[in-house]
Amino acid sequence: VAKRGGKGRHAIYAREMNADALDRLELEADMRHALDRDELLLHYQPIVDLTDGRVLGVEALVRWHHPRRGLLLPGAFVPLAEETGLITPIGRWVLAEACRQGVAWMQRRAGTAPLTLSVNVSPRQLQHGAIVEDVASALRTTGFPPALLLLELTEGIFMHSDDSTLEVLQALKALGVRLGIDDFGTGYASLRYLQRFPVDVLKIDKTFVDGLALAEEQGDSGEVALARAIVALGDTLSLRTMAEGVEATPQWEQLRRLGCTIGQGHLFGRALPPDEVAAFLELDAEPRLRLLPASAVGN
Ligand code: C2E
Ligand code: MG
Ligand code: MG
Ligand code: MG
């Protein structure tokens, strides 16, 4: 082990920094080709009706099949894509691909209730309004019904928001799509913004849903109160509330009691490749509902 301290430690530190910086540069260079080389793909996580366990839709979640690093989750490359601006072409591809897949499922499932499609959008994609043409083009070229598309924005869009942000959101709404705030409760959304901006859905952040399980174990009503407050806020502003990261039956029960009617999480299903989603959709909602105690379901 090299000498820790003084110059020695400095050298080790510098070498690690260099390795990190090189790693980032390499990843960035690879990312520039990821689209041409068809290395990106989408997984889809089911979104369910919390009252009966039925699948209402799916959320598209991007993955990168990196030639040497394997399958990368968004945490490993989306932040860098946001910094470099590559998230704009990547996001454009995500929108088009998700809508294409959505139409393919609709055609195969003709006669069944149509599925909603949620797509994540970075604040960066809203700059200069590029997102409006990207969404319009994805809808136009695929024929996906705008009313079934939910764009998930993060509270980051409100950080430097001005009238131009409002105009972009209004232009998106004019296309007929719905807008949601993802990871709600963790960031910068003020009540004023929620009232002023054309938002339809609040997605309660997983950390609050985690708290619901703790509350169950520890009898801490403070955690439940936070989730309840978000649902009440949604009701007040006429917004739908959805819960993310539902992992356990007690959380599902609590959410139902709070009046939150839509959710997603490992309890219902993980993000899956498209062919496995198709199989998942064939499954009946009944087994999911059976996770709840009979008393909760009311029979
Ligand atoms: P998100 O939009 O909040 O998506 C939910 C994330 O939580 C997904 O991780 C999902 O797989 C994971 N998750 C769902 N249910 C559970 C659960 O019960 N327990 C746990 N522990 N995790 C759960 P993933 O796919 O790694 O995505 C992470 C984030 O990356 C997303 O968070 C979203 O902010 C971002 N992201 C994903 N796809 C895109 C994209 O196409 N564009 C942009 N801009 N961001 C994306
Ligand atoms: Mg999301
Ligand atoms: Mg989320
Ligand atoms: Mg989240």
Side-chain angles (χ1 to χ4, degrees):
V1 177
K3 191 178 138 211
R4 299 272 159 191
K7 267 187 180 165
R9 187 170 69 188
H10 220 93
I12 291 170
Y13 187 59
R15 205 156 50 227
E16 278 168 6
M17 285 247 307
N18 274 334
D20 273 3
L22 281 174
D23 197 60
R24 269 173 59 99
L25 275 176
E26 190 193 69
L27 198 65
E28 184 183 331
D30 292 343
M31 207 186 297
R32 294 192 183 278
H33 300 290
L35 278 173
D36 328 327
R37 295 180 184 158
D38 250 346
E39 291 168 358
L40 296 182
L41 61 151
L42 297 179
H43 281 183
Y44 297 86
Q45 185 178 32
I47 295 176
V48 306
D49 185 332
L50 295 179
T51 57
D52 58 13
R54 232 177 284 274
V55 179
L56 296 173
V58 291
E59 175 174 4
L61 295 159
V62 70
R63 271 90 181 98
W64 177 9
H65 195 100
H66 189 281
R68 292 177 310 281
R69 302 179 192 218
L71 191 69
L72 301 183
L73 293 173
F77 67 94
V78 164
L80 188 58
E82 287 173 336
E83 269 174 55
T84 57
L86 285 169
I87 196 65
T88 300
I90 290 176
R92 187 177 297 134
W93 176 85
V94 169
L95 277 162
E97 172 58 17
C99 289
R100 185 200 64 74
Q101 182 61 256
V103 169
W105 278 326
M106 279 173 58
Q107 287 167 348
R108 231 172 302 155
R109 291 165 35 88
T112 63
L115 295 174
T116 64
L117 180 63
S118 300
V119 173
N120 295 283
V121 172
S122 289
R124 181 93 190 231
Q125 293 172 260
L126 261 60
Q127 277 174 18
H128 317 301
I131 185 73
V132 181
E133 180 45 34
D134 292 348
V135 173
S137 148
L139 294 169
R140 192 173 53 235
T141 55
T142 61
F144 189 81
L148 296 178
L149 182 61
L150 175 70
L151 300 180
E152 298 193 356
L153 312 161
T154 60
E155 291 172 273
I157 61 159
F158 297 120
M159 203 167 30
H160 308 288
S161 85
D162 49 25
D163 286 345
S164 72
T165 309
L166 180 58
E167 280 166 23
V168 170
L169 298 186
Q170 284 167 338
L172 288 171
K173 284 298 295 176
L175 296 175
V177 303
R178 292 188 307 148
L179 303 179
I181 305 296
D182 207 346
D183 305 331
F184 182 75
T186 58
Y188 302 88
S190 73
L191 299 184
R192 182 61 68 207
Y193 284 136
L194 287 182
Q195 186 201 38
R196 201 168 149 239
F197 286 58
V199 170
D200 307 284
V201 172
L202 297 181
K203 284 188 83 167
I204 307 176
D205 189 65
K206 179 178 185 308
T207 52
F208 298 104
V209 177
D210 291 345
L212 295 180
L214 291 176
E216 188 86 357
E217 286 159 25
Q218 301 169 357
D220 176 4
S221 63
E223 291 292 340
V224 183
L226 276 180
R228 179 183 291 115
I230 297 177
V231 176
L233 177 66
D235 287 344
T236 305
L237 298 172
S238 300
L239 307 176
R240 298 300 294 267
T241 47
M242 301 173 53
E244 64 175 24
V246 184
E247 293 179 342
T249 307
Q251 294 169 331
W252 184 7
E253 282 182 77
Q254 287 272 19
L255 288 164
R256 283 167 53 105
R257 253 180 261 143
L258 297 179
C260 178
T261 53
I262 309 176
Q264 70 194 100
H266 293 166
L267 179 65
F268 308 111
R270 290 171 185 263
L272 300 168
D275 51 329
E276 290 178 44
V277 177
F280 188 96
L281 294 174
E282 306 294 315
L283 297 177
D284 195 39
E286 193 60 28
R288 282 189 284 280
L289 205 55
R290 265 190 258 121
L291 290 169
L292 287 174
S295 59
V297 190
N299 53 9

